[in-house]
């Protein structure tokens, strides 16, 4: 981070050109930038605020970035009249090709949900060893489709923001609990289970298939709302005239994108409930979906530490909730399972994921409202091409 005291020493009072030292310190950033917006975001990432820009005789970081961008020597442009500098008529077909390529990327998230629905249909019509083969094939197909969805398009992580540690393992843990956890917790409280899960919803260890189908179908609205947020935030970056102005304009967009996704997720739950025999409203699925969406939004913008920590803590909390019920069966350890048993008795086993995922989603949303509203967060996060 830039030492602001050094900047002050580099620009003494009365200096004829107070921007010159700043240009020298950030010449690489200014030469690499394709527009003043990248310089403004880069300056903010180095700790330069609108108040600091006033020391360089500018009203905000954006106007300071415009002067820095104008001062950097550039090669002569070959643009045609009526087009932006550096643009040419050949760019139009390129933009059209990019738009055509973006359509499959926005439709690719349909694949996990379709494959999951086909797998559930296959499971309902098979028995014995054939059912096991169908389940294995379905899990593999859905996993590959999900991998393709998060590797390309709006949900993908830019190459220059490659996370140091993946969050996918903890995501799978949370999805696994959504499938197995509630059934295990319910039977554990009543003294079971008496056997291993048999792949049905009414066995000794019942499975919940609705969360898997709903979450895979929700990949489509998650992709579209993420794309909407990236596009609108980038547009706000071009129209804002200050860092505080940008933050104030992007925060409602972030909250609106999350609310739009939750609305779509609730609609998917209601549409799937008649076919799966579940309730038309599922707070557990909604809180899990919100947690995964906000975690992915942060990861897409390069903020991987907070999602990794929160997802890990949420998964561990859910496992510990079940573990305490089994630990309570040991001599002298009855009190360990009392809180979870009381919670399940009062609100049902779904209360555990609702509380854990809801708390995690709220923490990440507060964190996102502070990080994703900074201009530097959108320096590389652009809509897919």
């Amino acid at each position: 981070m830039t030492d602001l005291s050094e900047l002050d020493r580099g620009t003494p009072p009365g200096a004829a050109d107070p921007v010159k030292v700043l240009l020298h310190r950030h010449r690489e950033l200014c030469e690499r930038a394709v527009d003043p917006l990248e310089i403004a975001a880069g300056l903010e990432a180095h700790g330069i605020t609108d108040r600091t820009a006033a020391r360089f005789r500018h009203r905000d970081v954006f106007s300071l970035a415009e002067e820095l961008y104008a001062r950097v020597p550039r090669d002569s442009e070959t643009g045609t009249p009526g087009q932006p500098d550096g643009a040419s008529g050949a760019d139009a077909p390129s933009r059209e090709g990019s738009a055509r390529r973006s359509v499959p990327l926005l439709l690719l998230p349909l694949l996990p949900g379709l494959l999951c629905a086909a797998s559930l249909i296959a499971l309902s019509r098979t028995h014995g060893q054939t059912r096991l083969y169908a389940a294995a094939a379905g899990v593999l197909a859905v996993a590959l489709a999900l991998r393709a969805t998060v590797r390309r398009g709006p949900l993908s992580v830019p190459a220059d923001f490659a996370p140091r540690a993946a969050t996918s393992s903890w995501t799978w843990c949370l999805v696994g609990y959504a499938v197995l956890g509630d059934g295990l917790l319910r039977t554990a409280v009543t003294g079971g289970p008496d056997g291993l899960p048999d792949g049905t919803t009414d066995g000794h260890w019942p499975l919940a298939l609705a969360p898997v189908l709903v979450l895979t179908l929700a990949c489509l609205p998650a992709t579209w709302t993420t794309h909407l947020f990236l596009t609108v935030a980038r547009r706000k970056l071009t129209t804002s005239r200050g860092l505080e102005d940008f933050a104030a304009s992007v925060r409602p967009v972030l909250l609106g994108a999350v609310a739009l996704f939750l609305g779509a997720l609730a609609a998917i739950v209601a549409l799937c409930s008649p076919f799966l025999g579940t309730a038309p409203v599922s707070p557990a699925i909604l809180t899990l979906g919100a947690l995964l969406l906000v975690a992915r939004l942060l990861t897409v913008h390069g903020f991987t530490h907070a999602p990794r920590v929160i997802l890990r803590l949420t998964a561990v909390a859910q496992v510990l909730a079940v573990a305490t019920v089994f630990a309570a069966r040991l001599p002298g350890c009855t009190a360990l399972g009392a809180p979870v048993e009381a919670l399940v008795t009062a609100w049902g086993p779904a209360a555990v994921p609702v509380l854990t995922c809801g708390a995690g989603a709220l923490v990440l949303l507060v964190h996102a409202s502070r990080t994703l509203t900074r201009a530097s967060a959108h320096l590389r996060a652009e809509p897919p091409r």
Side-chain angles (χ1 to χ4, degrees):
M1 179 171 293
T2 302
D3 188 346
L4 299 184
S5 62
E6 292 182 5
L7 289 178
D8 289 340
R9 290 197 296 268
T11 57
D17 192 359
V19 183
K20 189 174 183 179
V21 173
L22 188 64
L23 177 61
H24 175 73
R25 291 182 182 275
H26 299 283
R27 177 169 291 275
E28 182 179 356
L29 169 66
C30 298
E31 291 177 346
R32 188 180 65 244
V34 298
D35 55 38
L37 300 176
E38 288 198 12
I39 298 179
L43 292 177
E44 185 201 35
H46 284 84
I48 298 179
T49 63
D50 290 338
R51 180 176 299 180
T52 311
R55 303 176 187 175
F56 297 93
R57 303 176 183 175
H58 283 272
R59 66 182 181 275
D60 51 46
V61 173
F62 285 73
S63 61
L64 176 60
E66 289 174 352
E67 180 176 348
L68 292 173
Y69 182 79
R71 286 196 179 198
V72 175
R74 303 180 188 278
D75 297 334
S76 58
E77 305 295 339
T78 58
T80 58
Q83 292 177 319
D85 291 344
S88 64
D91 290 337
S94 175
R95 288 192 295 270
E96 293 176 2
S98 298
R100 285 194 297 267
R101 288 193 299 270
S102 67
V103 172
L105 293 181
L106 294 177
L107 294 179
L108 178 63
L110 272 173
L111 192 58
L114 295 177
L115 290 176
C116 185
S119 300
L120 294 182
I121 294 174
L123 288 177
S124 65
R125 299 185 177 182
T126 55
H127 304 278
Q129 194 171 16
T130 304
R131 183 186 181 91
L132 180 61
Y133 292 151
V139 170
L140 179 60
V142 172
L144 292 176
L146 287 173
R147 176 172 176 163
T149 299
V150 299
R151 290 293 182 90
R152 302 183 63 189
L155 296 180
S156 63
V157 180
D160 52 347
F161 278 160
R164 290 173 293 180
T167 59
S168 58
S169 58
W170 300 109
T171 300
W172 285 114
C173 287
L174 293 172
V175 175
Y177 184 90
V179 177
L180 300 169
D182 285 358
L184 176 60
L185 186 58
R186 179 183 287 107
T187 56
V189 170
T190 58
D194 298 324
L196 296 175
D198 56 4
T200 64
T201 58
D202 54 358
H204 297 293
W205 185 346
L207 302 183
L209 301 178
V212 179
L213 179 60
V214 171
L215 291 175
T216 52
L217 290 174
C219 287
L220 185 64
T223 301
W224 288 1
T225 53
T226 301
H227 176 72
L228 176 66
F229 174 69
L230 294 175
T231 303
V232 176
R234 188 69 179 178
R235 187 179 300 122
K236 295 290 185 181
L237 191 60
T238 63
T239 58
S240 299
R241 296 310 309 170
L243 299 179
E244 295 181 359
D245 181 30
F246 175 75
S249 61
V250 170
R251 190 170 289 111
V253 178
L254 172 64
L255 299 178
V258 175
L260 183 62
F261 170 76
L262 288 178
L265 187 60
I268 294 175
V269 172
L271 290 174
C272 292
S273 61
F275 304 99
L276 299 174
T278 58
V281 178
S282 176
I285 297 179
L286 293 179
T287 52
L288 176 57
L291 174 63
L292 297 180
L293 175 71
V294 180
R296 196 63 195 178
L297 278 174
L298 288 165
T299 302
V300 164
H301 289 82
F303 302 99
T304 60
H305 178 70
R308 185 169 64 251
V309 171
I310 295 300
L311 291 179
R312 180 193 300 136
L313 291 177
T314 304
V316 170
Q318 292 180 351
V319 172
L320 286 178
V322 178
T324 56
V325 177
F326 286 103
R329 300 178 182 179
L330 298 175
C333 299
T334 306
L336 289 177
V340 176
E341 291 181 6
L343 184 65
V344 172
T345 302
W347 301 100
V352 172
V354 168
L355 291 178
T356 54
C357 293
L362 183 60
V363 171
L364 284 184
L365 186 59
V366 172
H367 179 65
S369 67
R370 300 181 61 183
T371 56
L372 300 187
T373 55
R374 298 204 303 253
S376 55
H378 304 274
L379 181 59
R380 299 296 181 187
E382 298 183 7
R385 297 189 181 280

